[in-house]
Amino acid sequence: MAQMTGNEQFQQWLAQINQECGNFAARPLEGEFSGHLETGYAQGLKLSTVTTANVNLYRTKNEISKQNDSWFYTVFQLEGQAIIEQNERQTVIQPGDITLVDASRPCSIIWQQRSRQTSLLLPRSLLEQQLRVGESHCVQRLGKNLPMVQMSHRLLQESMNNRELSGKESEAALEAIVCLLRPVLQQQEVTPSRRDKQFDKVVQLIDSHLQSEMLRPEWLANETGMSVRSLYRMFANKGLVVAQYIKNRRLDLCAKAIRSAADDEKLAGIGFSWGFTDHSHFSTAFRQRFGMSPGEYRKRNR
């Protein structure tokens, strides 16, 4: 029997994702793709464990329109890291962390290294019985050091390993996970702290100077009256790296510009207008984020 090519393995993995987890699109990233999917059904618990590397899995309005979206993906990170984006918010989750992803909104998950995570489907109705669900709850990193997060991980593992759960018991486990996460999520509804307000101010400053060559961590720290070390720590507390955040914001706007650019518009000029003065660096960074060169991206999005 002939061995499958890398592209055939990728397509087979994506087909499994679409069959078991809902409608998604995907694109391989730089490096060798690997992907494996395990699914489990413990009565009322529907679980999917993805082990993969070098791929971007995402949902647009097109994928969302093809199916029921009345749930949330509760993502339990087991190994490696994942970059998750939704509602113009980005977070990086590490082993032991948890985050929520709304199935009714576009989202993106990027695995740039070997990663393993379990997604548990939470019915929207169950979550809304416990707390008011809004955009603020999605793609927030619930850190592994929080006691309720640790207990949720243990309960998930126990439920996954117990094949004898009855229907009522699995529903009780699902409700228990929601109850454990509720106080962590509710903490996000309080009045923003001084630190959160300062972070918002920095993000706004970044967005207003994305086309400027002077936009660097040192300049940001000076403009906001903090040390560079404090700036790095502020972003790290959000699961982010400041320089990577700036680069990704620029690349996202480059991609948006490319989608609407005329056929004869120079790609190097688009990159330059968003702070990429070296075309080779721009092309490499673009490929790392979107899995293809700017030219290939333009062809696909005409």
Side-chain angles (χ1 to χ4, degrees), residues 87-213:
N87 300 329
E88 298 185 353
R89 177 182 289 137
Q90 180 190 91
T91 192
V92 180
I93 56 173
Q94 308 283 353
D97 295 342
I98 299 175
T99 195
L100 281 180
V101 178
D102 190 343
S104 70
R105 300 173 183 271
C107 66
S108 172
I109 308 174
I110 298 173
W111 296 289
Q112 294 177 323
Q113 56 181 258
R114 187 182 186 279
S115 173
R116 187 165 179 261
Q117 60 183 214
T118 293
S119 293
L120 169 67
L121 288 187
L122 276 182
R124 185 179 301 276
S125 57
L126 178 60
L127 207 58
E128 289 178 347
Q129 287 172 13
Q130 300 288 341
L131 73 162
R132 180 175 59 84
V133 178
E135 290 186 8
S136 61
H137 294 116
C138 297
V139 192
Q140 288 281 2
R141 174 179 167 268
L142 307 181
K144 64 182 179 182
N145 295 325
L146 297 171
M148 292 302 184
V149 170
Q150 295 171 3
M151 292 173 67
S152 298
H153 265 277
R154 288 198 293 269
L155 179 55
L156 178 76
Q157 293 293 340
E158 290 290 332
S159 301
M160 289 172 67
N161 296 329
N162 192 337
R163 301 286 182 178
E164 298 180 359
L165 281 180
S166 68
K168 288 187 177 180
E169 288 171 336
S170 66
E171 289 176 8
L174 202 60
E175 292 177 5
I177 289 176
V178 175
C179 288
L180 287 171
L181 294 179
R182 179 178 60 187
V184 184
L185 292 167
Q186 284 178 332
Q187 288 176 8
Q188 300 167 13
E189 296 183 342
V190 300
T191 303
S193 65
R194 178 177 172 273
R195 182 176 297 177
D196 288 334
K197 290 179 180 178
Q198 191 175 28
F199 178 78
D200 290 341
K201 179 182 177 182
V202 172
V203 168
Q204 290 171 12
L205 191 61
I206 289 172
D207 280 348
S208 62
H209 289 82
L210 281 170
Q211 291 180 293
S212 172
E213 289 185 33

Side-chain angles (χ1 to χ4, degrees), residues 51-65:
T51 306
T52 191
N54 299 315
V55 66
N56 175 204
L57 188 70
Y58 59 94
R59 277 164 67 85
T60 67
K61 291 181 180 179
N62 182 50
E63 285 76 38
I64 293 169
S65 67

